Amino acid sequence: MKDISVNAISLRTSRREIAIGERTLIMGVINATPDSFSDGGLFQSSAEAIEQGLRMAEEGADFIDIGGESTRPGSDQVSLAEELKRVIPIVRGLSAKISIPISVDTMKAQVAREALDAGAEIINDITSLHNDPAMAQTIAAYRAAVVLMHMRGTPKVMQKGDLSYGSVPGDMISFLHERMEKAQSAGINKDRIIVDPGIGFGKTAVDNMRLIRYLEDFKKLGSPILVGVSRKSFIGYITGGAPQERVEGTAAAVTAAVLNGADIVRVHDVSFMKKVVMMADAIRRA
């Protein structure tokens, strides 16, 4: 394995400065949706989702990421009103009870605006500011941090048709570089940008594994790297099993991501993956 640099950089949100690179950080996932691929329907009320967020914080999560719209392959967008109804009470409830940053997974500027007003600090936009022309200006105005992710197409069609690329990970790096320039031109400082290669979004199982293998290449972008592998179908491609049966495969993928340079890993099983990350970090930094 190549030597991986672990030089610390800073990530700024609307409320704080976060050291990146001293250790791999953990982002716990809360899907407040009935149809997410892994935990859809698990949290039937805002109170249940808030309790889950509190548990994740106690288990050692460094961020909580809340989503009110499924982005699994084949999914449709939900209405603005429905997404707000799902997300904002959770953000408001958690922000009053936890001290760690809250991220909101949305592609709608109005959801981002109300979430930031309610206490969120990071907007995780899987469309990299493409979907809503007001998103970049909204994030800049609030001085929030943003996750820019690579995805080709939309969740509805991203796994259909020709999934081939000229270069993996070269195409993803070029895309993210262009989106970073777009964000900065809209007033979002580079120290507020996180990049995500988009594992599982418009890619084959082999492409997803190749992205993890060559994750180090994304370091040239100069921003923190977020990786989301938790329970995804490329793991089932290797190990079999339903999403809830992919914990061991997720642990292996998380370990490989950490060893290859991930700064943040996005997971469902915080307590379990916290120990996996601690061990992988110890090896990476030995």
Side-chain angles (χ1 to χ4, degrees):
M1 186 179 69
K2 297 178 182 179
D3 178 54
I4 305 297
S5 63
V6 290
N7 295 328
I9 57 175
S10 291
L11 170 70
R12 295 182 185 273
T13 74
S14 53
R15 298 188 176 196
R16 71 192 81 202
E17 182 176 349
I18 302 165
I20 300 291
E22 295 177 357
R23 61 180 177 85
T24 306
L25 304 180
I26 294 178
M27 178 178 280
V29 183
I30 297 177
N31 290 312
T33 65
D35 58 344
S36 288
F37 81 98
S38 178
D39 54 358
L42 187 60
F43 309 112
Q44 297 292 332
S45 68
S46 297
E48 290 174 321
I50 290 168
E51 286 302 313
Q52 174 68 357
L54 293 174
R55 279 192 294 271
M56 287 179 167
E58 291 173 359
E59 291 169 353
D62 299 290
F63 308 88
I64 302 294
D65 189 49
I66 302 163
E69 179 175 74
S70 175
T71 54
R72 61 176 174 76
S75 61
D76 292 305
Q77 287 196 30
V78 300
S79 69
L80 172 62
E82 181 62 27
E83 189 174 352
L84 288 169
K85 178 183 175 182
R86 293 174 181 180
V87 170
I88 302 306
I90 303 171
V91 175
R92 189 176 293 117
L94 274 179
S95 65
K97 297 179 178 180
I98 63 175
S99 60
I100 61 176
I102 294 173
S103 166
V104 170
D105 185 347
T106 185
M107 60 183 82
K108 299 183 181 74
Q110 183 64 29
V111 175
R113 187 176 302 113
E114 295 197 27
L116 292 166
D117 282 335
E121 303 175 41
I122 303 168
I123 299 302
N124 185 359
D125 183 355
I126 65 167
T127 74
S128 283
L129 311 177
H130 267 299
N131 181 72
D132 190 327
M135 182 64 93
Q137 289 76 15
T138 298
I139 293 169
Y142 280 86
R143 299 175 63 83
V146 63
V147 180
L148 302 177
M149 191 192 79
H150 176 272
M151 176 177 63
R152 188 166 61 186
T154 65
K156 181 72 174 178
V157 299
M158 65 186 178
Q159 293 303 119
K160 297 180 179 180
D162 181 10
L163 298 180
S164 62
Y165 292 91
S167 171
V168 177
D171 287 6
M172 292 83 214
I173 293 170
S174 295
F175 172 91
L176 289 170
H177 181 263
E178 184 272 328
R179 298 317 297 168
M180 289 175 70
E181 290 186 333
K182 175 70 174 179
Q184 290 175 84
S185 70
I188 302 172
N189 291 343
K190 187 176 180 181
D191 61 2
R192 299 180 188 274
I193 297 174
I194 302 165
V195 295
D196 182 343
I199 290 171
F201 287 83
K203 301 166 184 75
T204 66
V206 173
D207 285 340
N208 292 323
M209 290 181 276
R210 188 174 289 124
L211 283 173
I212 297 170
R213 172 67 181 83
Y214 294 102
L215 195 61
E216 179 191 9
D217 291 358
F218 288 83
K219 291 289 185 183
K220 67 183 68 175
L221 293 170
S223 289
I225 302 169
L226 169 66
V227 177
V229 298
S230 187
R231 305 181 184 178
K232 289 187 174 178
S233 61
F234 81 98
I235 295 171
Y237 176 82
I238 299 298
T239 67
Q244 293 81 2
E245 299 171 318
R246 298 171 187 164
V247 176
E248 298 92 342
T250 296
V254 165
T255 298
V258 171
L259 294 179
N260 285 304
D263 296 301
I264 307 168
V265 291
R266 186 176 182 272
V267 301
H268 298 86
D269 308 287
V270 170
S271 179
F272 186 98
M273 295 304 161
K274 179 78 172 180
K275 295 176 182 177
V276 171
V277 168
M278 288 173 66
M279 192 68 238
D281 264 340
I283 295 169
R284 177 183 173 189
R285 290 162 169 76

